[in-house]
Amino acid sequence: MADHLQEDSDFDSFVAELQKEIDEQTRALYSARVIKEAYEPSNVGRMPDADARGLVHGWCGDTMEVFLRLDGTIIRQATFMTDGCGPTLACGSILTTMVQGMSMDEAGAILPEDLIAALDGLPEESQHCAELA
């Protein structure tokens, strides 16, 4: 029995140390804003009876789906769904937050660089996430 408890304790310590290393590597690669938006994304979910819907399949294999509720040409609500990674979640979250209250033309003028700037940067290998959004 004591050996079993020691094995559990060793495994728990190993997992805790591994999680600490992952967290340190994540903080070294991504801004605090990216991490916040990835772990606590806003506006996630499919919108029933959306006025507009777009679906994009990225070259990386990720998919981004955006739903809009309109008041004339003004975006009143925006939500998204993705099967992508943390940076993709962050990009969808920041995009749907940014476009609320914009006209369709204003929202259509948002560039990947705008999302990257709003997230305080993305590493080069994650910049395609902003293109997907």
Side-chain angles (χ1 to χ4, degrees), residues 82-112:
T82 186
D83 57 5
C85 59
T88 301
L89 273 168
C91 288
S93 178
I94 202 73
L95 174 66
T96 54
T97 299
M98 288 172 68
V99 301
Q100 293 185 52
M102 288 184 170
S103 71
M104 291 291 286
D105 288 339
E106 290 170 322
I110 295 173
L111 299 173

Side-chain angles (χ1 to χ4, degrees), residues 10-20:
D10 290 345
F11 180 74
D12 291 342
S13 295
F14 170 75
V15 170
E17 186 61 34
L18 184 59
Q19 185 63 54
K20 181 180 171 187

Side-chain angles (χ1 to χ4, degrees), residues 11-120:
F11 180 74
D12 291 342
S13 295
F14 170 75
V15 170
E17 186 61 34
L18 184 59
Q19 185 63 54
K20 181 180 171 187
E21 287 179 36
I22 291 168
D23 291 345
E24 288 171 2
Q25 290 174 0
T26 300
R27 282 191 297 278
L29 285 174
Y30 298 104
S31 70
R33 185 71 190 262
V34 172
I35 294 168
K36 179 190 179 306
E37 296 293 341
Y39 283 96
E40 300 170 18
S42 300
N43 309 311
V44 176
R46 290 189 167 82
M47 182 185 297
D49 303 319
D51 295 315
R53 176 185 159 269
L55 177 67
V56 178
H57 299 283
W59 60 264
C60 60
D62 294 349
T63 301
M64 175 76 69
E65 191 172 17
V66 177
F67 303 85
L68 303 177
R69 180 144 301 122
L70 304 172
D71 183 2
T73 62
I74 303 299
I75 300 168
R76 291 293 169 219
Q77 185 182 9
T79 64
F80 77 100
M81 287 295 292
T82 186
D83 57 5
C85 59
T88 301
L89 273 168
C91 288
S93 178
I94 202 73
L95 174 66
T96 54
T97 299
M98 288 172 68
V99 301
Q100 293 185 52
M102 288 184 170
S103 71
M104 291 291 286
D105 288 339
E106 290 170 322
I110 295 173
L111 299 173
E113 293 80 13
D114 300 324
L115 298 179
I116 292 168
L119 289 168
D120 299 326

